[in-house]
Short mmCIF file of all heavy atoms in Angstrom, two decimals:
data_model
loop_
_atom_site.label_atom_id
_atom_site.label_comp_id
_atom_site.label_asym_id
_atom_site.label_seq_id
_atom_site.Cartn_x
_atom_site.Cartn_y
_atom_site.Cartn_z
N ARG A 163 -50.15 -1.55 -11.81
CA ARG A 163 -49.31 -1.04 -12.88
C ARG A 163 -48.68 -2.27 -13.49
O ARG A 163 -47.98 -3.01 -12.83
CB ARG A 163 -48.25 -0.13 -12.28
CG ARG A 163 -47.37 0.53 -13.31
CD ARG A 163 -46.29 1.34 -12.64
NE ARG A 163 -45.57 2.09 -13.66
CZ ARG A 163 -45.96 3.27 -14.10
NH1 ARG A 163 -47.03 3.83 -13.62
NH2 ARG A 163 -45.28 3.88 -15.05
N ILE A 164 -48.97 -2.51 -14.75
CA ILE A 164 -48.39 -3.70 -15.32
C ILE A 164 -47.68 -3.39 -16.64
O ILE A 164 -48.05 -2.49 -17.36
CB ILE A 164 -49.42 -4.87 -15.40
CG1 ILE A 164 -49.73 -5.28 -16.80
CG2 ILE A 164 -50.70 -4.55 -14.73
CD1 ILE A 164 -50.38 -6.66 -16.74
N SER A 165 -46.62 -4.14 -16.84
CA SER A 165 -45.78 -3.88 -17.99
C SER A 165 -46.32 -4.63 -19.20
O SER A 165 -46.60 -5.82 -19.12
CB SER A 165 -44.36 -4.31 -17.63
OG SER A 165 -43.70 -4.82 -18.73
N GLY A 166 -46.51 -3.91 -20.30
CA GLY A 166 -47.07 -4.53 -21.50
C GLY A 166 -46.20 -4.27 -22.71
O GLY A 166 -45.14 -3.62 -22.62
N ARG A 167 -46.65 -4.78 -23.83
CA ARG A 167 -45.89 -4.67 -25.06
C ARG A 167 -46.90 -4.46 -26.18
O ARG A 167 -47.95 -5.09 -26.19
CB ARG A 167 -45.22 -6.02 -25.28
CG ARG A 167 -43.87 -6.01 -25.90
CD ARG A 167 -43.53 -7.43 -26.16
NE ARG A 167 -42.56 -8.01 -25.24
CZ ARG A 167 -41.28 -7.66 -25.19
NH1 ARG A 167 -40.83 -6.70 -25.95
NH2 ARG A 167 -40.46 -8.27 -24.37
N ILE A 168 -46.59 -3.54 -27.10
CA ILE A 168 -47.45 -3.41 -28.27
C ILE A 168 -47.14 -4.60 -29.16
O ILE A 168 -45.99 -4.80 -29.54
CB ILE A 168 -47.19 -2.09 -29.00
CG1 ILE A 168 -47.34 -0.93 -28.02
CG2 ILE A 168 -48.15 -1.93 -30.17
CD1 ILE A 168 -46.88 0.39 -28.56
N LYS A 169 -48.15 -5.39 -29.48
CA LYS A 169 -47.88 -6.69 -30.10
C LYS A 169 -47.20 -6.54 -31.46
O LYS A 169 -46.32 -7.31 -31.80
CB LYS A 169 -49.19 -7.45 -30.25
CG LYS A 169 -49.00 -8.93 -30.47
CD LYS A 169 -50.33 -9.63 -30.56
CE LYS A 169 -50.14 -11.10 -30.83
NZ LYS A 169 -51.43 -11.75 -31.07
N LYS A 170 -47.60 -5.51 -32.22
CA LYS A 170 -47.11 -5.45 -33.59
C LYS A 170 -45.63 -5.07 -33.68
O LYS A 170 -44.96 -5.45 -34.62
CB LYS A 170 -47.97 -4.47 -34.42
CG LYS A 170 -47.91 -3.05 -33.90
CD LYS A 170 -48.67 -2.09 -34.78
CE LYS A 170 -48.57 -0.69 -34.17
NZ LYS A 170 -49.34 0.31 -34.84
N ASN A 171 -45.11 -4.32 -32.70
CA ASN A 171 -43.71 -3.92 -32.83
C ASN A 171 -42.89 -4.15 -31.57
O ASN A 171 -41.76 -3.68 -31.46
CB ASN A 171 -43.61 -2.45 -33.26
CG ASN A 171 -44.45 -1.56 -32.37
OD1 ASN A 171 -44.81 -1.96 -31.27
ND2 ASN A 171 -44.78 -0.37 -32.84
N ASN A 172 -43.47 -4.87 -30.60
CA ASN A 172 -42.76 -5.26 -29.38
C ASN A 172 -42.25 -4.10 -28.53
O ASN A 172 -41.33 -4.26 -27.74
CB ASN A 172 -41.56 -6.16 -29.71
CG ASN A 172 -42.04 -7.53 -30.10
OD1 ASN A 172 -43.13 -7.94 -29.72
ND2 ASN A 172 -41.24 -8.23 -30.88
N ILE A 173 -42.84 -2.90 -28.69
CA ILE A 173 -42.41 -1.77 -27.86
C ILE A 173 -43.00 -1.91 -26.46
O ILE A 173 -44.18 -2.23 -26.31
CB ILE A 173 -42.91 -0.46 -28.49
CG1 ILE A 173 -42.38 -0.34 -29.90
CG2 ILE A 173 -42.60 0.73 -27.60
CD1 ILE A 173 -41.24 0.57 -30.10
N LEU A 174 -42.18 -1.67 -25.45
CA LEU A 174 -42.64 -1.80 -24.07
C LEU A 174 -43.44 -0.56 -23.64
O LEU A 174 -43.03 0.57 -23.91
CB LEU A 174 -41.45 -1.96 -23.12
CG LEU A 174 -40.78 -3.32 -23.11
CD1 LEU A 174 -39.52 -3.27 -22.29
CD2 LEU A 174 -41.72 -4.39 -22.57
N VAL A 175 -44.56 -0.79 -22.98
CA VAL A 175 -45.37 0.31 -22.44
C VAL A 175 -45.82 -0.08 -21.04
O VAL A 175 -45.62 -1.21 -20.61
CB VAL A 175 -46.62 0.59 -23.32
CG1 VAL A 175 -46.23 1.10 -24.67
CG2 VAL A 175 -47.48 -0.66 -23.45
N ASN A 176 -46.42 0.87 -20.32
CA ASN A 176 -46.98 0.56 -19.00
C ASN A 176 -48.47 0.78 -19.02
O ASN A 176 -48.97 1.73 -19.63
CB ASN A 176 -46.35 1.44 -17.93
CG ASN A 176 -44.98 0.92 -17.54
OD1 ASN A 176 -44.82 -0.28 -17.30
ND2 ASN A 176 -44.01 1.80 -17.52
N ILE A 177 -49.18 -0.09 -18.31
CA ILE A 177 -50.63 0.01 -18.24
C ILE A 177 -51.04 0.37 -16.82
O ILE A 177 -50.64 -0.31 -15.87
CB ILE A 177 -51.31 -1.32 -18.63
CG1 ILE A 177 -50.79 -1.84 -19.96
CG2 ILE A 177 -52.82 -1.17 -18.65
CD1 ILE A 177 -51.08 -0.96 -21.12
N VAL A 178 -51.81 1.45 -16.67
CA VAL A 178 -52.34 1.81 -15.35
C VAL A 178 -53.85 2.04 -15.49
O VAL A 178 -54.40 1.91 -16.58
CB VAL A 178 -51.68 3.09 -14.78
CG1 VAL A 178 -50.22 2.86 -14.50
CG2 VAL A 178 -51.87 4.24 -15.74
N TRP A 179 -54.48 2.38 -14.39
CA TRP A 179 -55.92 2.63 -14.43
C TRP A 179 -56.21 3.95 -13.74
O TRP A 179 -55.70 4.21 -12.65
CB TRP A 179 -56.67 1.49 -13.74
CG TRP A 179 -58.15 1.58 -13.86
CD1 TRP A 179 -58.89 1.61 -15.00
CD2 TRP A 179 -59.10 1.64 -12.78
NE1 TRP A 179 -60.22 1.67 -14.72
CE2 TRP A 179 -60.39 1.70 -13.37
CE3 TRP A 179 -58.99 1.64 -11.39
CZ2 TRP A 179 -61.55 1.76 -12.62
CZ3 TRP A 179 -60.15 1.71 -10.65
CH2 TRP A 179 -61.41 1.76 -11.26
N ASP A 180 -56.99 4.83 -14.38
CA ASP A 180 -57.22 6.16 -13.79
C ASP A 180 -58.46 6.20 -12.91
O ASP A 180 -59.00 7.26 -12.65
CB ASP A 180 -57.30 7.22 -14.89
CG ASP A 180 -58.53 7.02 -15.77
OD1 ASP A 180 -59.28 6.06 -15.50
OD2 ASP A 180 -58.74 7.81 -16.70
N THR A 181 -58.91 5.04 -12.45
CA THR A 181 -59.99 4.90 -11.47
C THR A 181 -61.34 5.41 -11.96
O THR A 181 -62.21 5.71 -11.16
CB THR A 181 -59.68 5.61 -10.13
OG1 THR A 181 -59.78 7.03 -10.34
CG2 THR A 181 -58.33 5.26 -9.61
N ASP A 182 -61.52 5.51 -13.25
CA ASP A 182 -62.75 6.10 -13.72
C ASP A 182 -63.75 5.08 -14.23
O ASP A 182 -64.83 4.90 -13.68
CB ASP A 182 -62.41 7.11 -14.82
CG ASP A 182 -63.38 8.25 -14.84
OD1 ASP A 182 -63.99 8.48 -13.78
OD2 ASP A 182 -63.54 8.88 -15.88
N ASP A 183 -63.40 4.38 -15.30
CA ASP A 183 -64.32 3.50 -15.98
C ASP A 183 -63.73 2.09 -15.98
O ASP A 183 -62.57 1.92 -16.33
CB ASP A 183 -64.52 4.00 -17.42
CG ASP A 183 -65.66 3.28 -18.12
OD1 ASP A 183 -65.83 2.07 -17.87
OD2 ASP A 183 -66.37 3.93 -18.89
N TYR A 184 -64.54 1.10 -15.58
CA TYR A 184 -63.97 -0.24 -15.44
C TYR A 184 -63.63 -0.89 -16.78
O TYR A 184 -63.04 -1.95 -16.82
CB TYR A 184 -64.90 -1.13 -14.63
CG TYR A 184 -66.20 -1.48 -15.34
CD1 TYR A 184 -66.29 -2.60 -16.15
CD2 TYR A 184 -67.32 -0.67 -15.21
CE1 TYR A 184 -67.46 -2.91 -16.80
CE2 TYR A 184 -68.49 -0.96 -15.86
CZ TYR A 184 -68.55 -2.09 -16.65
OH TYR A 184 -69.72 -2.39 -17.30
N ARG A 185 -64.05 -0.26 -17.88
CA ARG A 185 -63.75 -0.87 -19.17
C ARG A 185 -62.42 -0.40 -19.75
O ARG A 185 -61.85 -1.07 -20.59
CB ARG A 185 -64.88 -0.55 -20.16
CG ARG A 185 -66.18 -1.26 -19.85
CD ARG A 185 -67.29 -0.71 -20.68
NE ARG A 185 -67.45 0.72 -20.45
CZ ARG A 185 -68.29 1.49 -21.13
NH1 ARG A 185 -69.02 0.99 -22.08
NH2 ARG A 185 -68.40 2.78 -20.84
N PHE A 186 -61.97 0.77 -19.32
CA PHE A 186 -60.81 1.37 -19.98
C PHE A 186 -59.63 1.60 -19.04
O PHE A 186 -59.81 2.00 -17.91
CB PHE A 186 -61.19 2.71 -20.62
CG PHE A 186 -62.29 2.58 -21.63
CD1 PHE A 186 -63.57 3.00 -21.34
CD2 PHE A 186 -62.03 2.00 -22.86
CE1 PHE A 186 -64.59 2.87 -22.26
CE2 PHE A 186 -63.03 1.87 -23.79
CZ PHE A 186 -64.32 2.30 -23.50
N GLY A 187 -58.43 1.35 -19.55
CA GLY A 187 -57.21 1.64 -18.81
C GLY A 187 -56.40 2.66 -19.58
O GLY A 187 -56.79 3.08 -20.66
N ASN A 188 -55.28 3.06 -19.00
CA ASN A 188 -54.43 4.03 -19.67
C ASN A 188 -53.11 3.40 -20.08
O ASN A 188 -52.52 2.64 -19.32
CB ASN A 188 -54.13 5.20 -18.74
CG ASN A 188 -55.36 6.03 -18.50
OD1 ASN A 188 -56.46 5.50 -18.47
ND2 ASN A 188 -55.18 7.30 -18.32
N ILE A 189 -52.67 3.74 -21.28
CA ILE A 189 -51.36 3.28 -21.73
C ILE A 189 -50.39 4.43 -21.50
O ILE A 189 -50.66 5.56 -21.91
CB ILE A 189 -51.39 2.94 -23.23
CG1 ILE A 189 -52.60 2.06 -23.53
CG2 ILE A 189 -50.11 2.27 -23.66
CD1 ILE A 189 -52.90 1.95 -24.99
N GLN A 190 -49.29 4.14 -20.83
CA GLN A 190 -48.33 5.21 -20.54
C GLN A 190 -46.98 4.87 -21.13
O GLN A 190 -46.70 3.73 -21.46
CB GLN A 190 -48.18 5.38 -19.03
CG GLN A 190 -49.40 5.98 -18.38
CD GLN A 190 -49.13 6.33 -16.94
OE1 GLN A 190 -48.23 5.79 -16.34
NE2 GLN A 190 -49.92 7.24 -16.39
N ASP A 191 -46.13 5.88 -21.20
CA ASP A 191 -44.75 5.72 -21.62
C ASP A 191 -44.62 5.14 -23.02
O ASP A 191 -43.77 4.29 -23.28
CB ASP A 191 -43.97 4.81 -20.62
CG ASP A 191 -44.11 5.32 -19.21
OD1 ASP A 191 -44.16 6.55 -19.04
OD2 ASP A 191 -44.17 4.50 -18.28
N VAL A 192 -45.48 5.58 -23.92
CA VAL A 192 -45.34 5.18 -25.31
C VAL A 192 -44.38 6.17 -25.97
O VAL A 192 -44.65 7.37 -25.95
CB VAL A 192 -46.69 5.22 -26.05
CG1 VAL A 192 -46.56 4.66 -27.45
CG2 VAL A 192 -47.76 4.50 -25.26
N PRO A 193 -43.25 5.73 -26.53
CA PRO A 193 -42.34 6.66 -27.19
C PRO A 193 -43.10 7.42 -28.28
O PRO A 193 -43.95 6.85 -28.96
CB PRO A 193 -41.29 5.74 -27.81
CG PRO A 193 -41.37 4.49 -27.02
CD PRO A 193 -42.77 4.35 -26.56
#
Side-chain angles (χ1 to χ4, degrees):
Chain A
R163 184 184 187 86
I164 115 163
S165 146
R167 215 187 255 292
I168 306 170
K169 198 178 178 186
K170 62 176 179 185
N171 51 19
N172 286 336
I173 302 257
L174 284 172
V175 294
N176 281 313
I177 308 296
V178 294
W179 186 59
D180 66 0
T181 72
D182 212 23
D183 190 324
Y184 68 90
R185 290 169 302 175
F186 301 105
N188 291 33
I189 312 166
Q190 290 189 338
D191 307 325
V192 186

